[in-house]
Amino acid sequence: MNGRHDEGPHEHDRGLSHDLPVLARRRMIRLMAGASLIPLVGCTTEEEKTTASSSSSSPSSSSAGCAEIPEETAGPFPGDGSNGVNVLKESGVVRSDITKSFGDSAGGTAEGVPLTITLTVVDASSGCGTPKQGAAVYVWHCDRDGAYSLYSEGVTEENYLRGVQETDEKGQVTFTSVFPGCYPGRWPHIHFEVYGSLADATAATSITNTSQLAFPKEVCDAVYATDGYGESVRNLSGLSLEDDGVFGDGHERQLATMTGSAGDGYTAALTVPV
C-alpha cells in the first residue's frame, strides 16, 4: 500500500451533497462570464518554458473585474481543523520549505522530484491587476506515494508537505516542495486555501477561497518516469483532466505554467484571483 489511500474519483471530496452545489456554482459563473474571461497563469521565459497551460495570458487590468479562482473541495485531508487535526495552529507551520515535518512530528522528509510552487494572489474586483499584499496561502498535497501526512497510514505522525506563507508586495508566495504522486481516482494536484491575513491563517479562521492547482500531463509523464514514482505511472494511465471529478468541468484557470525539467526540478506558477 505504501501509505496510499485508495479512493475513487469522488471519494476525495466531502460527499456528493457538498460537491454538487460547488460544481453548480462554477458552471453558473462560466455561463455568465462567457468567452470574455481571460485565463491567468504566471510568467515564464521561452527558454525556460517546457510546457504551458492553455491559460497563459497575462492578468487583465479591466476595471470590470475578473472571475475568482474556481471554488473547489478541500477534500478529506485538509489539516485545517475542519476534518480532525489542525496543523495551522502549530508553531512552525509558517514556512517556505515544506519538504520536512516540523514541531513534535516524526521528523520525516518527503522525497521526490524538486518542485517550487509560486502562487500570485490578485484582486479579482480590480480586473486582476492589483496584487493582494498581506494575504496568506496555506498549501498541502500528497507525497510521492500518494499519501497525505497527518491522515494516511504510515504518515499520521508526519506533517510534511503543508505550510503557510504571507503574500509579498507582488501578491506572491513561494514554497519549496516535491512533485506529488498520482493516486487512484484523482488527477495530480495541489490544494490551497487563501486567507485575508496571516493571523487568520494561523488561527484557522475566515478562509476566503479554497481551490486546487492542476499539472499538465506532459510534466506528469516526465516526472513519473523517474525513480520512485512507479505507482503513479499506472494510476495516471487511466485518468484525464476532462474526466477528473474536480477539474472535469473546466481547468483552464487552475492549470499551472511549468518551467524546468525532471532532472533539475520544476517550478509551478499560477495566478489566483480572489
Side-chain angles (χ1 to χ4, degrees):
M1 292 289 291
N2 293 325
R4 185 180 296 103
H5 47 86
D6 295 325
E7 52 181 331
H10 299 290
E11 293 179 35
H12 186 70
D13 303 338
R14 293 179 180 170
L16 187 61
S17 61
H18 174 272
D19 291 338
L20 284 178
V22 171
L23 297 177
R25 287 196 301 272
R26 288 183 59 190
R27 291 190 176 97
M28 181 60 69
I29 290 172
R30 294 177 188 278
L31 287 172
M32 294 174 65
S36 63
L37 285 179
I38 299 178
L40 301 163
V41 296
C43 298
T44 64
T45 64
E46 288 302 320
E47 292 79 3
E48 294 175 323
K49 190 176 297 181
T50 58
T51 184
S53 72
S54 58
S55 53
S56 58
S57 301
S58 298
S60 167
S61 59
S62 169
S63 60
C66 63
E68 292 187 1
I69 191 77
E71 189 76 7
E72 304 290 8
T73 175
F77 313 113
D80 61 1
S82 62
N83 186 21
V85 65
N86 190 341
V87 74
L88 294 176
K89 294 185 176 182
E90 294 186 18
S91 176
V93 72
V94 180
R95 59 198 186 131
S96 59
D97 186 343
I98 61 174
T99 57
K100 299 177 176 62
S101 291
F102 64 94
D104 295 329
S105 72
T109 300
E111 303 292 339
V113 170
L115 175 69
T116 299
I117 307 160
T118 298
L119 302 179
T120 303
V121 182
V122 296
D123 184 1
S125 65
S126 70
C128 293
T130 304
K132 295 278 286 188
Q133 182 177 6
V137 182
Y138 166 46
V139 302
W140 72 97
H141 62 86
C142 70
D143 63 18
R144 183 171 61 181
D145 294 322
Y148 281 86
S149 66
L150 302 175
Y151 292 91
S152 300
E153 181 181 356
V155 293
T156 56
E157 299 303 314
E158 303 289 356
N159 55 19
Y160 54 51
L161 305 183
R162 300 176 183 274
V164 175
Q165 281 281 290
E166 183 178 31
T167 58
D168 62 16
E169 67 277 4
K170 297 179 180 179
Q172 292 185 339
V173 293
T174 299
F175 296 91
T176 300
S177 190
V178 295
F179 203 93
C182 178
Y183 52 83
R186 277 306 317 276
W187 190 261
H189 60 281
I190 290 177
H191 292 269
F192 61 90
E193 293 172 344
V194 180
Y195 293 79
S197 68
L198 188 60
D200 284 346
T202 54
T205 186
S206 302
I207 299 171
T208 63
N209 302 82
T210 302
S211 196
Q212 299 180 26
L213 174 153
F215 293 100
K217 185 178 187 302
E218 294 81 2
V219 173
C220 295
D221 288 339
V223 171
Y224 296 160
T226 65
D227 291 342
Y229 287 95
E231 288 295 314
S232 293
V233 175
R234 183 183 66 181
N235 293 333
L236 186 69
S237 66
L239 300 175
S240 72
L241 272 165
E242 290 71 24
D243 294 332
D244 185 70
V246 170
F247 301 122
D249 64 338
H251 53 265
E252 294 82 5
R253 291 183 290 124
Q254 294 163 281
L255 191 61
T257 293
M258 307 295 299
T259 62
S261 67
D264 297 330
Y266 283 100
T267 292
L270 186 71
T271 298
V272 182
V274 300

